[in-house]
Amino acid sequence: TVICAAVWFFPIYWALVTSFRPDVETVRSQSPLPEQPTLDNYAFVFQNSSLPIWYVNSTIVTVATTIAVVLMAACCGYAISQLRFPGRTLLWWMILASFMIPVPALIVNHFIIIAGVKLINTHLGIILPLLIAPVTVIVYKQFFDSIPRDFREAAVMDGANEFQLLFRIYIPMNWGVTTALAIITFIGVWNTFLWPFLAAQNERMMTVTVGITAVQDAFGIAYGRLMAGAVLAGLPVTLAYLIFQKRVTQAITLSAGIKG
């Protein structure tokens, strides 16, 4: 276990150390720590790239997508679990089937549709295809199935409608699941590269993960600057994981249980 942890952590360690080294020291030094630590690489990235704008774009896309995915998944999971309507079974099997299709396989269709409605280089154009997250619907449906019918029947007798049942009873009883799914969705969307790379062709609309590739092309062979950009790109999700580690683990466990 220790060996596996060391192998996993080494690239992160190397990126951090390199980001604080001058380029000359990076090439010639064999020291495990920077001999002359410097913040010049970070300053250069901020001054010579659109990183602050990329952060804003990533934040807008990630927060909007996370809220929309969790809200839609909760509503859809509740409808399939608790309501009886024509086509319910067919809808459920379609969601299960879509879970088996990798999203990158649909990337060409997504691009044609988004380009057709003139949403390339817009936040909405980046967000819409990222809303496809069938696993969240499946998780919600399973947990709503596990809630005793007595709660629903008692609330209905008190005059509660379906929205009140969902937002005042079912979701509050599953706040842990909701939080876990929101965090794992946030991390996944922030790290997404392929679709934002295709949909954001204007530098001022790029997300952080896409913008870092532009930084690499602009900076050339400058290891310290490249690593500084990479560290800044991954910093928000790293902090999110460290703060909400238990919730992230719970979400991964839930997802793994569905896949199993």
Side-chain angles (χ1 to χ4, degrees):
T1 304
V2 175
I3 294 175
C4 291
V7 171
W8 172 86
F9 180 73
F10 179 77
I12 300 176
Y13 156 79
W14 188 84
L16 284 171
V17 169
T18 304
S19 68
F20 289 104
R21 280 177 167 164
D23 287 334
V24 175
E25 183 181 330
T26 301
V27 176
R28 65 173 175 79
S29 177
Q30 297 181 355
S31 172
L33 296 174
E35 297 174 1
Q36 297 178 337
T38 178
L39 294 175
D40 290 347
N41 294 322
Y42 290 93
F44 188 93
V45 171
F46 273 107
Q47 294 171 4
N48 294 274
S49 73
S50 301
L51 189 64
I53 296 176
W54 298 338
Y55 262 114
V56 172
N57 292 335
S58 285
T59 301
I60 293 173
V61 169
T62 304
V63 172
T65 302
T66 300
I67 294 173
V69 165
V70 172
L71 182 60
M72 291 191 304
C75 293
C76 185
Y78 173 81
I80 296 174
S81 172
Q82 301 298 317
L83 304 182
R84 299 296 181 264
F85 54 89
R88 171 177 171 270
T89 302
L90 176 61
L91 176 60
W92 174 238
W93 282 107
M94 288 176 62
I95 293 174
L96 290 177
S98 67
F99 179 60
M100 303 174 189
I101 302 174
V103 174
L106 306 174
I107 208 76
V108 175
N109 293 334
H110 291 167
F111 187 84
I112 293 174
I113 293 172
I114 296 300
V117 294
K118 311 297 183 183
L119 290 179
I120 295 296
N121 285 321
T122 65
H123 289 131
L124 186 60
I126 299 174
I127 290 170
L128 287 177
L130 298 178
L131 299 180
I132 302 174
V135 66
T136 55
V137 178
I138 298 171
V139 171
Y140 267 121
K141 195 264 185 187
Q142 283 195 336
F143 275 86
F144 290 155
D145 283 346
S146 67
I147 296 177
R149 298 284 298 183
D150 296 344
F151 290 98
R152 175 181 177 83
E153 293 172 357
V156 170
M157 291 180 63
D158 289 339
N161 58 37
E162 298 299 341
F163 284 102
Q164 291 172 329
L165 286 169
L166 174 59
F167 291 106
R168 294 187 179 182
I169 296 178
Y170 282 83
I171 288 183
M173 295 180 69
N174 291 282
W175 273 125
V177 175
T178 299
T179 304
L181 291 176
I183 294 169
I184 202 69
T185 301
F186 179 93
I187 294 175
V189 174
W190 184 279
N191 288 330
T192 298
F193 172 79
L194 182 57
W195 174 247
F197 175 74
L198 296 175
Q201 300 172 356
N202 185 325
E203 181 178 344
R204 298 190 67 81
M205 287 303 303
M206 291 179 178
T207 59
V208 171
T209 53
V210 177
I212 291 303
T213 62
V215 168
Q216 181 174 350
D217 293 338
F219 293 173
I221 308 300
Y223 299 109
R225 297 169 186 174
L226 294 178
M227 291 302 102
V231 170
L232 290 172
L235 186 60
V237 292
T238 302
L239 294 176
Y241 176 80
L242 293 176
I243 295 172
F244 303 105
Q245 183 176 0
K246 292 184 179 180
R247 294 300 185 187
V248 173
T249 304
Q250 180 184 0
I252 294 174
T253 303
L254 293 172
S255 300
I258 295 297
K259 293 179 181 179

